[in-house]
């Protein structure tokens, strides 16, 4: 599976950097920012704060679902 377009985040449980996020869902925060929530493919939950351009690009590419 090509993970080049996946959102990359830090996994707190395994302490790994730039882990591709699977099943990502992007939602808006109360202050208008964007947050992606998903897992690392092994069941460990992950989240990442994103800028508007990166969030909308991930939705457009089909690597994340929109929740707003």
């Amino acid at each position: 599976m090509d993970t080049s377009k996946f959102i990359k985040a830090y996994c707190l449980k395994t302490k790994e950097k730039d882990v591709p996020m699977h099943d990502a869902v992007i939602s808006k925060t109360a202050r208008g920012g964007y947050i992606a929530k998903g897992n690392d493919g092994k069941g460990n939950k992950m989240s990442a704060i994103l800028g508007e351009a990166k969030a909308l690009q991930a939705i457009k590419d089909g690597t994340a679902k929109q929740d707003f």
Side-chain angles (χ1 to χ4, degrees):
M1 175 182 275
D2 182 29
T3 61
S4 63
K5 292 188 177 187
F6 278 65
I7 297 169
K8 304 231 187 315
Y10 179 74
C11 184
L12 291 171
K13 188 171 184 179
T14 61
K15 309 284 193 255
E16 293 179 75
K17 293 182 181 179
D18 296 327
V19 179
M21 186 181 294
H22 299 273
D23 303 325
V25 177
I26 297 177
S27 57
K28 271 191 152 182
T29 63
R31 298 182 74 183
Y34 294 89
I35 188 167
K37 296 180 183 179
N39 65 58
D40 65 351
K42 301 173 191 167
N44 301 318
K45 292 182 183 177
M46 301 171 66
S47 60
I49 302 294
L50 304 172
E52 181 178 16
K54 192 170 185 178
L56 297 178
Q57 185 65 40
I59 293 169
K60 182 180 163 192
D61 289 342
T63 59
K65 294 180 183 174
Q66 183 176 349
D67 189 34
F68 57 91

